[in-house]
């Protein structure tokens, strides 16, 4: 079977599910952040595949913007994690329950 | 099977296996290992981008993600000196809920994808092959998408100022 748009979309969906499960099962904030990156990359793959098989470049420009925003988001998020670590000496989500109850 | 198809299966398998090892590595819970497998997953995604003729994006993916973002991640991991993540005994209902969530998300995403593909008017057998090289992408970026481009530059500035403010020692 020739590799077409369907194959790339299935890979993208599986990668997104892996990222989602990573957010659900891991307790380390940094690994949760990496799983978020995986989900963003899955969306990028779907956009690039759509752009290739529809014959226009707009999807790739969109991916370009997503990569830029993701870089900014990672910088801000990691700065938040470092600030949190300074205050609470932890980056594990089970230790950050002061807002529960 | 052509070389393109074989390369697709290699890169797709590598991406998925490395992605799985990022979130659930049976040998190590160390975040550095997760970061290294994330680098591998991102590099094989860049390979998939090359197969899709998105050459510029493949280069940007390696430079920005595997380069800048991962260096930032590793820097913070080594700065924080985290204690080992506890391996929790998984309860059976947790496993059921998680596998349900995974299957549901894959099914929902694929349903959206394939329904929109069925509804699209495009005849995909006769589509011209576009090459995402630097020149056509740059022309598109600076003609049709000039305003978003400028807004993104402002966003980067805002992020930079925000990060500097957050990293100050006396955070009030």
């Amino acid at each position: 079977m020739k590799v077409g748009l369907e194959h790339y979309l299935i890979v993208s969906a599986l990668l997104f599910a892996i990222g989602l499960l990573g957010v659900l099962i891991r307790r380390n904030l940094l690994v949760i952040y990496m799983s978020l990156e995986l989900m963003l990359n899955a969306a990028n793959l779907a956009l690039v595949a759509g752009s290739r098989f529809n014959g226009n470049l707009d999807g790739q420009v969109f991916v370009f913007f997503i990569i830029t925003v993701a870089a900014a988001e990672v910088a801000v998020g990691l700065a938040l994690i470092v600030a949190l670590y300074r205050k609470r000496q932890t980056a594990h989500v089970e230790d950050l329950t002061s807002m529960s109850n | 099977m052509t070389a393109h198809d074989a390369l697709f299966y290699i890169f797709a398998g590598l991406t998925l296996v490395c992605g799985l090892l990022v979130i659930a590595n049976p040998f190590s819970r160390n975040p550095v290992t997760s970061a290294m497998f994330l680098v591998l997953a991102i590099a094989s995604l860049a390979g998939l981008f090359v197969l899709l003729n998105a050459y510029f994006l493949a280069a940007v993916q390696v430079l920005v993600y595997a380069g800048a973002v991962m260096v930032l991640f590793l820097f913070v991991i080594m700065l924080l000196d985290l204690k080992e993540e506890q391996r929790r005994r998984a309860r059976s209902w947790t496993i059921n809920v998680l596998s349900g969530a995974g299957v549901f998300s894959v099914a929902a995403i694929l349903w959206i994808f394939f329904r929109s593909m069925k509804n699209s008017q495009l005849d995909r057998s006769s589509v011209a092959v576009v090459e995402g090289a630097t020149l056509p992408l740059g022309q598109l970026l600076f003609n049709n998408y000039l305003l978003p481009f400028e807004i993104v530059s402002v966003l980067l500035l805002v992020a930079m100022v925000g990060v500097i403010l957050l990293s100050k020692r006396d955070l009030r």
Side-chain angles (χ1 to χ4, degrees):
Chain A
M1 190 175 166
K2 193 164 180 347
V3 170
L5 179 54
E6 295 87 355
H7 293 71
Y8 286 99
L9 292 186
I10 289 170
V11 172
S12 158
L14 288 174
L15 195 62
F16 189 89
I18 288 174
L20 182 66
L21 285 181
V23 172
L24 290 179
I25 65 175
R26 293 305 293 260
R27 288 292 177 269
N28 189 331
L29 269 178
L30 287 160
V31 182
I32 289 177
Y33 240 75
M34 291 178 204
S35 310
L36 281 178
E37 295 303 307
L38 276 181
M39 284 155 80
L40 275 172
N41 273 301
N44 284 352
L45 181 62
L47 279 170
V48 174
S51 131
R52 158 72 178 78
F53 289 98
N54 282 325
N56 64 13
L57 279 176
D58 295 312
Q60 297 195 12
V61 175
F62 212 82
V63 171
F64 184 75
F65 287 129
I66 291 179
I67 289 178
T68 321
V69 172
E73 169 244 317
V74 165
V76 175
L78 289 178
L80 279 173
I81 289 177
V82 171
L84 180 78
Y85 187 81
R86 277 212 199 112
K87 225 174 175 58
R88 307 286 298 270
Q89 310 302 322
T90 180
H92 288 212
V93 284
E94 74 258 39
D95 300 332
L96 303 171
T97 53
S98 59
M99 280 175 80
S100 71
N101 301 326
Chain B
M1 201 196 296
T2 60
H4 178 281
D5 292 6
L7 281 173
F8 167 77
Y9 286 116
I10 291 171
F11 281 130
L14 258 178
T15 308
L16 292 178
V17 168
C18 293
L20 212 59
L21 285 172
V22 171
I23 66 157
N25 194 331
F27 305 110
S28 155
R29 298 246 108 180
N30 197 335
V32 177
T33 327
S34 292
M36 285 307 167
F37 278 112
L38 187 58
V39 172
L40 273 180
I42 282 166
S44 35
L45 258 177
L48 284 180
F49 284 1
V50 170
L51 289 182
L52 288 167
N53 294 330
Y55 306 122
F56 180 68
L57 281 182
V60 166
Q61 176 93 353
V62 171
L63 285 177
V64 174
Y65 265 120
V69 168
M70 292 320 298
V71 165
L72 211 58
F73 262 114
L74 286 174
F75 200 78
V76 170
I77 288 170
M78 293 174 184
L79 192 72
L80 292 194
D81 185 29
L82 293 172
K83 61 178 188 291
E84 188 88 350
E85 191 172 344
Q86 296 293 315
R87 197 181 283 272
R88 289 162 307 135
R89 185 174 297 281
R91 272 165 265 139
S92 64
W93 68 267
T94 329
I95 294 174
N96 286 339
V97 166
L98 286 176
S99 47
V103 170
F104 176 76
S105 60
V106 170
I109 296 164
L110 285 181
W111 183 70
I112 293 169
F113 278 161
F114 283 96
R115 201 192 54 166
S116 54
M117 269 166 69
K118 212 170 86 229
N119 293 345
S120 75
Q121 307 292 318
L122 228 78
D123 178 20
R124 266 183 288 112
S125 55
S126 63
V127 152
V129 174
V130 287
E131 296 221 333
T134 316
L135 181 65
L137 214 59
Q139 277 169 344
L140 200 60
L141 198 60
F142 289 108
N143 288 315
N144 298 6
Y145 293 94
L146 188 57
L147 183 64
F149 186 77
E150 300 294 340
I151 293 174
V152 159
S153 70
V154 175
L155 175 82
L156 284 176
L157 180 69
V158 170
M160 195 172 74
V161 174
V163 167
I164 292 172
L165 202 71
L166 278 174
S167 321
K168 284 181 76 110
R169 183 151 285 283
D170 47 344
L171 189 68
R172 274 164 306 184

